[in-house]
């Protein structure tokens, strides 16, 4: 049925009486609903049909929709119908019960601001007659229900007939509907490769078109992309009106930017960078702001262009800001637990969340536990659920948050974490198994690093850093303006997921080493400070950890042709058994090889095997990086020579020179490794370590 064909259904008895009503309704025909409208014509038919059969109701008002669901930043147009003069959008005013969730203008345009639910109400001016619509922003679409106040159902004295009138009703020329459209700019100059957002203002839906797409393209949201030098006219049109903007695209900009497009969530930040000395700006600070150092903050859902400008050029990042994630951080305490102990699942949310639950899975079995407590932390809540874990292993944990006590549970990438349960019974027991850092180690790392609430350049390295030593690189999405508890969650997440814990596990397990919790904690703390590649590339420390004197079990004698594999990553294969020999190639971890000689060669203070790779290359490999399948060779870090360990481990104190603070940190880590001492007091050297820098004899303890 075409729009307003329902008029043909009305009995000829009522034709004269509804002529003015027909004209008024048709006057709205020129105003098209936006494409996202779920306009229910049958509902309007029903209302108008009932209203046409009675005259005893005055100034009743009805809306085209009773429940709508929109995304953040999207707009939905509501139509109001007034029974007194049977017209559309006549002498009414709109209001929202919660402008922080959704706003509405005087034309009925509803815009989603934040996730949640509110009510939009329309009122006939000068009366108490109202109608309402439930608005779900990113919410579940609920079943349609009838209006609270129903039109009276009394039948007219003479029911309308359904016969088609012999003479069609006279059509009254529609009155003019204001579809004027205006643009935020009538001209703009942008550089090739950049974006620009053109905003249109109109009471009707607007479409965009470019006169020359080889110069500039435009999408349905008014986002312009500069393609090549030249000019193009961007036209914004309603059904009856239009406005234009002249776009000039030029080349020659030498300005660069780390990201040309990116997506973040509201309340998250993004670090952008440029090698040029630029001025940063945002095209819409109500969507996102940017600092003088390129730190972007998502304010509300929408689209925005972040610009890096100089006097001779510009580069842009087209930023999409989505709604705030339901979970900001998820972590577990203790970070490493023993069997049959109670573990606390924790998550941090904003204060819009009203409930949290956790699902945890191990060996294909999933269980659910509800958060039973919450504590306020600034603008957030920290939720906790406690559960006893009886089996050793790694549990996958996912947090879900509920908004406004609705039935919908939401999760996101930040809501995923793991719980780790070890079979080791104490800190000093060594074993050849995967481990995770203890809470004691996380706490001492936090003490070493110091707390930074906002992104700040590191004093030594200049790297942008936040929380407890978390380095943020250009293009990274992160949370700024942290509380200490948020920073602790960030630190736990970094240690577990950013390669520090896994790199130490790989380093030790691939070399058949037995190690205890305090040794593992010390090496992870070390890696967090100097980087994950420090241990694998330090041959001196490898010689301390893995040599014949620390082997605790020996296999049967090796034989020519025996299968073996490389236990380190990017290991050099040399032409001779010493570090002065030329490098033939380097190989990745788990590369297979064949033993060509049972002789263990000595050179450069190391031991070497002569091997052949599967591609035919023959050469010498340091014995520390070669493992023999089924040999049973095992090393125990509790048997390392303590003096040799101190001599080599404390050498890692340089940052452009000898740094006393770094040496003190190495002392503390050595005390943790050897004595299980987790106290930050390295300057005291209470275990009387003897050390002299090999590069600077005047720097010693």
């Amino acid at each position: 049925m075409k729009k307003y064909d329902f008029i043909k259904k009305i009995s000829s008895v009522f034709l004269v009486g509804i002529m003015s009503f027909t004209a008024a309704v048709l006057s709205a025909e020129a105003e098209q609903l936006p494409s996202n409208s779920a306009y229910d014509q049958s509902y309007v038919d029903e209302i108008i049909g009932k209203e046409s059969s009675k005259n005893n109701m005055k100034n009743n008002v009805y809306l085209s929709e009773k429940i709508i669901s929109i995304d953040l930043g999207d707009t939905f147009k509501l139509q109001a119908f007034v029974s007194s003069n049977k017209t559309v959008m006549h002498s009414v005013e709109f209001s929202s019960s919660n402008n922080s969730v959704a706003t509405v203008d005087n034309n009925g345009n509803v815009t989603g601001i934040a996730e949640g639910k509110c009510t939009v109400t329309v009122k006939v001016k000068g009366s108490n007659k109202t109608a309402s619509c439930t608005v779900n922003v990113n919410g579940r679409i609920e079943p349609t229900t009838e209006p609270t106040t129903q039109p009276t159902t009394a039948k007219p004295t003479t029911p309308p007939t359904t016969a088609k009138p012999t003479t069609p009703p006279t059509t009254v020329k529609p009155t003019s509907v204001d579809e004027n459209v205006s643009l935020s700019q009538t001209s703009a100059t942008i550089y090739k490769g950049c974006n620009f957002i053109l905003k249109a203002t109109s009471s009707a839906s607007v479409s965009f078109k470019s006169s020359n797409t080889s110069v500039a393209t435009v999408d349905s949201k008014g986002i312009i992309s500069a393609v090549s030098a030249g000019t193009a006219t961007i036209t914004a049109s309603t059904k009856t009106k239009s406005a234009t903007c002249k776009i000039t695209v030029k080349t020659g900009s030498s300005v660069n930017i780390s990201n040309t497009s990116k997506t973040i969530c509201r309340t998250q930040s993004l670090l952008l960078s440029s090698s040029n000395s630029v001025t940063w700006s945002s095209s819409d600070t109500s969507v996102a702001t940017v600092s003088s150092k390129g730190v972007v903050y998502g304010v509300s859902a929408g689209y925005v262009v972040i610009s890096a400008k100089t006097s001779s050029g510009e580069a842009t990042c087209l930023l999409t800001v989505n709604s705030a994630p339901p979970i900001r951080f998820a972590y577990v305490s203790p970070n490493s637990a023993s069997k049959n102990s109670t573990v606390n699942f924790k998550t941090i949310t904003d204060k819009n969340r009203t409930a949290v639950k956790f699902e945890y899975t191990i060996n294909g079995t999933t269980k659910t536990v509800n958060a039973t407590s919450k504590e306020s932390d600034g603008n957030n809540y920290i939720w906790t659920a406690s559960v006893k874990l009886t089996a050793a292993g790694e549990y996958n944990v996912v947090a879900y948050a509920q908004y406004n006590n609705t039935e919908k549970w939401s999760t996101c990438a930040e809501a995923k974490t793991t719980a780790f349960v070890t079979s080791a019974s104490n800190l000093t027991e060594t074993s050849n198994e995967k481990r995770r850092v203890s809470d004691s180690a996380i706490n001492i790392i936090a003490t070493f690093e110091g707390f930074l609430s906002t992104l700040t350049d590191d004093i030594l390295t200049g790297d942008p850093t936040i929380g407890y030593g978390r380095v943020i690189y250009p293009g990274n999405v992160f949370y700024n303006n942290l509380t200490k508890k948020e920073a602790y969650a960030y630190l736990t997440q970094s240690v577990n997921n950013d390669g520090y814990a896994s790199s130490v596990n790989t380093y030790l397990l691939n070399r058949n080493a037995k190690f205890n919790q305090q040794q593992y904690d010390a090496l992870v703390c070390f890696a967090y400070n100097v980087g994950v590649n420090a241990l694998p590339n330090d041959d001196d420390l490898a010689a301390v950890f893995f040599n014949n004197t620390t082997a605790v079990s020996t296999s049967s004698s090796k034989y020519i042709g025996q299968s073996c594999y490389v236990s380190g990553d990017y290991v050099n294969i040399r032409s001779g058994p010493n570090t002065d020999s030329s490098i033939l190639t380097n190989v990745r971890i788990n590369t297979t090889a064949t033993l060509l000689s049972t002789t263990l060669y000595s050179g450069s203070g190391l031991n070497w095997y002569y091997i052949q790779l599967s591609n035919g290359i023959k050469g010498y490999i340091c014995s520390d990086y070669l493992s023999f399948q089924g040999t049973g060779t095992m090393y125990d870090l509790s048997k390392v020579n303590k003096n040799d360990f101190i001599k080599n481990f404390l050498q890692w104190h340089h940052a452009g020179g000898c740094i006393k603070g770094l040496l003190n940190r190495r002392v503390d880590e050595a005390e943790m490794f050897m004595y299980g001492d987790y106290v930050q007091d390295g300057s005291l050297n209470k275990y009387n370590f003897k050390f002299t820098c090999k590069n600077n004899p005047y720097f010693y303890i």
Side-chain angles (χ1 to χ4, degrees), residues 4-15:
Y4 301 113
D5 273 354
F6 66 88
I7 295 173
K8 296 178 182 178
K9 296 180 178 180
I10 303 177
S11 169
S12 59
V13 177
F14 295 91
L15 286 177

Side-chain angles (χ1 to χ4, degrees), residues 566 568-576 578 581-588 591-593 608 611-622 625:
V566 178
D569 215 2
Y570 297 104
V571 176
N572 292 326
I573 307 299
R574 297 183 179 271
S575 59
N578 56 73
S581 299
S582 60
I583 298 173
L584 301 176
T585 187
N586 62 67
V587 292
R588 299 299 305 271
T591 298
T592 58
W608 304 80
I611 62 169
Q612 180 175 339
L613 302 177
S614 58
N615 60 7
I617 294 178
K618 299 178 181 179
Y620 293 85
I621 183 174
C622 176
Y625 302 109

